[in-house]
Amino acid sequence: MRAFEKALQKLAEAKGFKPEKRPLLEEAFRFITSSENPPFLILQAPTGYGKTLLSFALAIHSLWDASIFDRVIHVLPMRSIIEDIQKTAEEAFGFSRTKMMGSSGEFLHLFPLNITTADTFTWDLLKLNTKKIHRIKAGQEFGYDYLTQASILTSLVIFDEAHFLLEDESMVTAFLSVIEFLTSQKVPIVVMTATLSEAHREIFEKYAKKNGYEFHVLSPQEGDPFIERELKKEIEIEFMEGNPLDFIEPGKRNAIIVNSVKRAVDLFNEAKNNPEIWPESERIILIHGRMTPSHKRELIKRLREWTKEETFLLIGTQAVEAGVDFSVDLMITDRAPINSLLQRFGRVARYGSDMKANIVVLEDAPCGPYPEDKVEKTIDLMKEHPILPRVPDTYQTIVAEVHGKKPISIKKNVNRELKRTLLKLMGDPTKRALHVLSAIERLTASGTPIMRGFLIPLLVGEEAVLISPPKLMELYSRGVVEIKGWNGNMRSLNDAYNVAKSIALGENVEAVFTGEYDWERGIP
């Protein structure tokens, strides 16, 4: 436990808090470092529990004892969370690196702690370095293919917020391919999630037991200091209808979380332009996914500073529902499935000193992009079963009902042919980077996206913002996007998808934002 205690001490010094017992994380650390067979751990802990302490402790352990794993790779579903964890890791330990498309100089995972996105991790396991596509295609190099994969296979891999990947129809096939391949290679695995359904657990257990893993599920029990504190909090959840701005309370820390960028920007404009809604316009902040990485970093830094003060209004989207460390007294949120709502609720009365808060769930809000049946079932069940946002026993039944009790609820979204192809590319040592690239090109040309659909990196200066083909078409029609390397004009949505395919295939095509970037609103 020496590494665990060292990590807790370093983290407390960097963050300026008094270390608090985390029995769940201590048990998880002991299980992983003492397992006779490869460990497969599911760590089900609520938002705000401090699960990333386990990553830091295991990274320190790997420096002292590499008998089970040489290093830790922490995989996250979205870039915004990576930046938050990396900042903490650098402040406390200084031994980590990030690796993600468009902003990393690393080509292997060789540091004690490596933080990466699910997309980049999957490409690395496939032996395809996306930065090297042109040179690979030209036969000039292999792009560190075997070496990058080997750096993964000698690591312990932590999948954080894994429910996002299982519930995302565009990611679930690739994610389950990754899990199946890693377990076939006996790689130690930790799955972290606040919302584990029975279906999720059964899927992971099947892969683990098939390959001789020591499988274990941990969740906080009665007597855990964190749970005991959360049980004392007064958090009221109400179901209302109307404009989110009608429910805010100046003088408090407010957050409005909605399901679309357009809705968030419209609300921001309404609040910003009307002092009667919010008297201090300079204390309103907007954060969404169509902002440049540097812009979001600056906004999140400002939000952290405001959290220590008394009053602000945050308007945001899913970009702030997970992993961003802030606390509010009042949250107004669009309706959504239970896993997304719990992530949002995790920002309410988040800190130990915050003992009272209110949540308003808007029943009449648009539910897209989420499936309407899951959204409606969530609302109905929450009305029947009151919950505490960070006490799993109060919401686990709802998670199981909404996200399924049987694996078929997850597997129905799996593309079996694509899964077989990905497993072949990962596991066949004769398939080097060029072979992988050729197979991916064939799949992409046929209209089969590997991950995240066909999102397009829109270049804004030296940074990139991911947008959908319909958004590209809209911006192009407004005359604020130039398509470089594309023959002719974009006349239809089909053309926008063809641009997306060309970029995914590594062709010399770029979407460049030519408008004036809005440093308050991003790309609306």
Side-chain angles (χ1 to χ4, degrees):
M1 293 298 293
R2 187 162 59 103
F4 185 90
E5 290 164 2
K6 184 73 172 176
L8 182 57
Q9 175 196 343
K10 286 277 190 183
L11 191 60
E13 289 172 358
K15 288 287 193 178
F17 65 81
K18 183 180 179 181
E20 182 180 63
K21 290 284 288 183
R22 285 288 183 269
L24 182 69
L25 300 183
E26 292 179 23
E27 188 177 351
F29 182 86
R30 280 193 294 268
F31 168 74
I32 293 165
T33 56
S34 63
S35 295
E36 293 184 6
N37 295 319
F40 193 123
L41 172 68
I42 295 179
L43 183 63
Q44 183 183 9
T47 56
Y49 191 87
K51 297 186 290 292
T52 49
L53 169 60
L54 183 62
S55 291
F56 303 145
L58 291 170
I60 291 175
H61 177 82
S62 73
L63 292 171
W64 298 342
D65 180 358
S67 59
I68 302 176
F69 51 90
D70 290 345
R71 66 197 68 83
V72 173
I73 303 176
H74 193 120
V75 184
L76 289 147
M78 55 190 80
R79 297 168 67 104
S80 58
I81 316 177
I82 281 189
E83 290 155 1
D84 207 54
I85 291 179
Q86 171 63 8
K87 183 176 184 296
T88 299
E90 280 297 314
E91 288 173 354
F93 307 100
F95 60 16
S96 64
R97 287 293 187 275
T98 60
K99 189 175 191 295
M100 51 188 173
M101 284 180 276
S103 62
S104 171
E106 303 297 329
F107 58 90
L108 300 175
H109 301 272
L110 293 181
F111 284 78
L113 177 62
N114 305 270
I115 310 168
T116 188
T117 61
D119 308 69
T120 295
F121 181 82
T122 303
W123 290 124
D124 285 346
L125 205 56
L126 282 163
K127 300 169 285 191
L128 185 61
N129 186 325
T130 55
K131 285 186 175 182
K132 300 286 186 177
I133 283 179
H134 294 295
R135 292 180 63 80
I136 292 168
K137 197 168 184 177
Q140 295 175 320
E141 62 175 281
F142 289 105
Y144 319 110
D145 51 1
Y146 287 146
L147 297 174
T148 305
Q149 189 188 71
S151 71
I152 293 173
L153 299 182
T154 52
S155 303
L156 176 143
V157 180
I158 295 176
F159 293 101
D160 201 348
E161 308 291 1
H163 56 277
F164 279 105
L165 303 175
L166 286 168
E167 294 296 328
D168 187 331
E169 292 184 17
S170 64
M171 283 295 294
V172 65
T173 299
F175 181 50
L176 291 183
S177 303
V178 164
I179 293 293
E180 184 167 339
F181 178 64
L182 290 177
T183 50
S184 74
Q185 302 300 308
K186 305 290 196 283
V187 174
I189 294 173
V190 177
V191 170
M192 293 180 175
T193 176
T195 53
L196 179 75
S197 74
E198 292 175 40
H200 298 158
R201 182 194 58 75
E202 280 192 34
I203 287 172
F204 290 131
E205 187 172 11
K206 173 193 168 187
Y207 287 125
K209 293 196 170 178
K210 175 184 175 183
N211 292 288
Y213 278 74
E214 194 166 337
F215 181 78
H216 201 32
V217 179
L218 285 175
S219 58
Q221 302 301 310
E222 186 177 340
D224 186 303
F226 180 90
I227 298 300
E228 292 300 305
R229 187 182 69 218
E230 290 301 315
L231 287 169
K232 295 175 183 175
K233 293 185 176 181
E234 297 178 36
I235 300 178
E236 182 180 355
I237 301 176
E238 299 179 275
F239 299 90
M240 307 292 283
E241 296 183 359
N243 185 330
L245 293 169
D246 291 342
F247 302 99
I248 61 175
E249 296 183 28
K252 290 186 176 181
R253 299 173 299 175
N254 293 250
I256 296 175
I257 309 297
V258 295
N259 295 341
S260 71
V261 173
K262 182 182 185 306
R263 183 161 158 85
V265 173
D266 288 346
L267 289 168
F268 177 79
N269 289 336
E270 186 179 351
K272 196 81 172 175
N273 296 327
N274 190 341
E276 292 184 7
I277 293 176
W278 192 266
E280 302 173 275
S281 64
E282 71 281 0
R283 304 288 289 183
I284 307 175
I285 191 170
L286 172 70
I287 301 177
H288 60 72
R290 288 207 296 266
M291 291 172 161
T292 64
S294 63
H295 188 191
K296 275 190 289 189
R297 279 195 297 272
E298 178 57 36
L299 292 171
I300 290 170
K301 179 182 176 184
R302 191 188 313 166
L303 180 60
R304 282 201 195 100
E305 293 169 353
W306 285 2
T307 295
K308 301 170 187 175
E309 301 172 16
E310 292 184 356
T311 179
F312 61 82
L313 172 59
L314 163 68
I315 300 174
T317 63
Q318 297 91 330
V320 295
E321 78 178 28
V324 180
D325 188 9
F326 67 94
S327 181
V328 296
D329 309 305
L330 171 62
M331 173 172 286
I332 302 100
T333 173
D334 283 356
R335 57 184 181 151
I338 185 64
N339 60 351
S340 292
L341 287 182
L342 286 169
Q343 291 295 327
R344 298 176 191 188
F345 296 171
R347 313 309 121 183
V348 173
R350 184 175 177 86
Y351 305 141
S353 58
D354 298 332
M355 299 303 292
K356 190 173 182 180
N358 293 86
I359 296 169
V360 174
V361 179
L362 298 171
E363 290 187 83
D364 60 338
C367 64
Y370 303 109
E372 188 170 355
D373 60 332
K374 288 189 175 184
V375 173
E376 291 182 349
K377 185 178 284 189
T378 294
I379 301 304
D380 290 343
L381 290 169
M382 283 181 64
K383 287 179 177 179
E384 294 174 12
H385 306 283
I387 70 170
L388 283 171
R390 284 181 291 272
V391 180
D393 284 351
T394 67
Y395 58 70
Q396 194 54 46
T397 299
I398 301 177
V399 171
E401 289 292 332
V402 172
H403 295 293
K405 296 181 179 180
K406 298 295 181 182
I408 188 63
S409 63
I410 306 298
K411 291 183 176 180
K412 67 182 180 181
N413 296 320
V414 173
N415 182 329
R416 297 182 187 278
E417 184 176 347
L418 173 60
K419 187 166 178 274
R420 283 193 294 270
T421 300
L422 295 178
L423 285 168
K424 176 74 171 175
L425 295 173
M426 291 175 190
D428 189 342
T430 68
K431 303 298 183 186
R432 299 208 62 180
L434 185 58
H435 303 108
V436 173
L437 179 58
S438 297
I440 297 301
E441 285 180 336
R442 287 195 297 273
L443 287 165
T444 303
S446 70
T448 303
I450 311 303
M451 292 172 283
R452 309 280 185 188
F454 285 114
L455 291 180
I456 300 157
L458 177 64
L459 300 180
V460 183
E462 296 183 356
E463 299 184 278
V465 174
L466 295 178
I467 61 171
S468 66
K471 190 64 186 179
L472 177 69
M473 191 68 220
E474 177 197 326
L475 295 173
Y476 183 83
S477 300
R478 283 163 42 191
V480 293
V481 165
E482 178 186 357
I483 309 298
K484 293 186 176 180
W486 178 259
N487 295 325
N489 296 320
M490 281 204 312
R491 296 183 177 86
S492 66
L493 185 57
N494 187 56
D495 288 335
Y497 274 97
N498 286 332
V499 168
K501 287 181 186 179
S502 296
I503 293 172
L505 288 167
E507 296 176 10
N508 193 25
V509 175
E510 292 180 337
V512 181
F513 184 69
T514 57
E516 185 175 345
Y517 184 79
D518 190 324
W519 288 97
E520 280 191 316
R521 297 166 182 81
I523 298 175

